[in-house]
């Protein structure tokens, strides 16, 4: 299974904020959209960074209630690791594990195609395992 298979199931919708969006706005969007992270996009649509629940917690722990008025650009991770639609599920699991993050934007030739989360990866893995089990059962019954 490949990243493109995940995207064809979940679609290419990407939730994002601008670099000057406040932490309060980010928290509201993460909660409202039931996601764990948001991409930070510049006005030209290029990826400026990523903010996740972890960044919100870190900002709160460091700045207390003042954190709510900080802007995305002050708390985001700027070096965003991305993946390609042709990457395998195993490859992106490795990337997430090594990088200790749970979200990967999907980019091909500079074009943003979607975002996969660890939840999507686990779901794809479970589906794969279910298919394998069914194929094995069919093989045994046929034999
Ligand atoms: P997460 O586990 O995705 O909630 O993120 C943990 C930390 O890694 C946060 O500081 C995020 O900003 C950062 N992060 C999340 N996804 C990525 C990514 N694809 N590339 C680089 N950093 C990331």
């Amino acid at each position: 299974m490949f990243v493109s298979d995940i995207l064809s199931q979940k679609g290419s919708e990407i939730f994002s904020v601008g670099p000057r969006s406040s932490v309060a706005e980010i928290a509201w969007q993460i909660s409202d959209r039931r996601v764990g992270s948001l991409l930070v996009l510049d006005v030209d649509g290029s990826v400026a960074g990523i903010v996740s629940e972890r960044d919100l917690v870190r900002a709160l722990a460091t700045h207390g209630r003042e954190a709510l008025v900080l802007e995305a650009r002050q708390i985001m991770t700027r070096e965003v690791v991305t993946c390609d639609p042709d990457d395998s599920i195993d490859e992106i699991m490795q990337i997430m594990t090594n990088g200790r993050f749970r979200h990967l934007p999907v980019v091909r030739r500079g074009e943003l195609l979607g975002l996969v989360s660890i939840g999507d990866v686990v779901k794809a893995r479970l589906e794969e395992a279910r298919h394998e089990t069914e194929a094995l059962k069919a093989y045994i019954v046929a034999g």
Side-chain angles (χ1 to χ4, degrees):
M1 225 184 211
F2 297 90
V3 168
S4 55
D5 297 316
I6 295 181
L7 285 191
S8 64
Q9 279 184 19
K10 75 172 278 193
S12 58
E13 192 168 23
I14 292 165
F15 299 121
S16 65
V17 288
R20 290 192 172 269
S21 298
S22 68
V23 162
E25 167 71 14
I26 294 165
W28 185 82
Q29 291 235 22
I30 282 182
S31 164
D32 188 58
R33 300 192 181 285
R34 297 164 185 247
V35 294
S37 75
L38 299 169
L39 274 182
V40 184
L41 299 182
D42 279 322
V43 274
D44 64 358
S46 59
V47 177
I50 188 164
V51 279
S52 88
E53 295 158 328
R54 294 253 165 102
D55 301 310
L56 292 183
V57 169
R58 200 175 299 134
L60 274 171
T62 309
H63 302 279
R65 64 184 60 191
E66 306 295 318
L68 289 176
V69 295
L70 292 177
E71 295 177 348
R73 63 197 172 100
Q74 295 173 284
I75 67 160
M76 68 188 184
T77 302
R78 288 169 191 272
E79 298 296 318
V80 182
V81 179
T82 62
C83 66
D84 187 274
D86 289 338
D87 287 343
S88 70
I89 304 291
D90 282 351
E91 279 170 317
I92 66 166
M93 276 174 77
Q94 204 60 58
I95 294 172
M96 286 181 178
T97 306
N98 292 343
R100 292 171 165 266
F101 45 70
R102 298 165 293 180
H103 301 91
L104 270 178
V106 187
V107 175
R108 168 165 275 176
R109 288 185 218 99
E111 191 192 351
L112 191 55
L113 301 176
L115 188 139
V116 289
S117 72
I118 191 75
D120 300 322
V121 173
V122 171
K123 193 168 161 228
R125 264 286 187 214
L126 285 174
E127 233 164 78
E128 229 172 18
R130 197 170 53 79
H131 283 138
E132 275 169 20
T133 309
E134 269 164 25
L136 274 174
K137 274 190 197 159
Y139 177 75
I140 293 163
V141 171

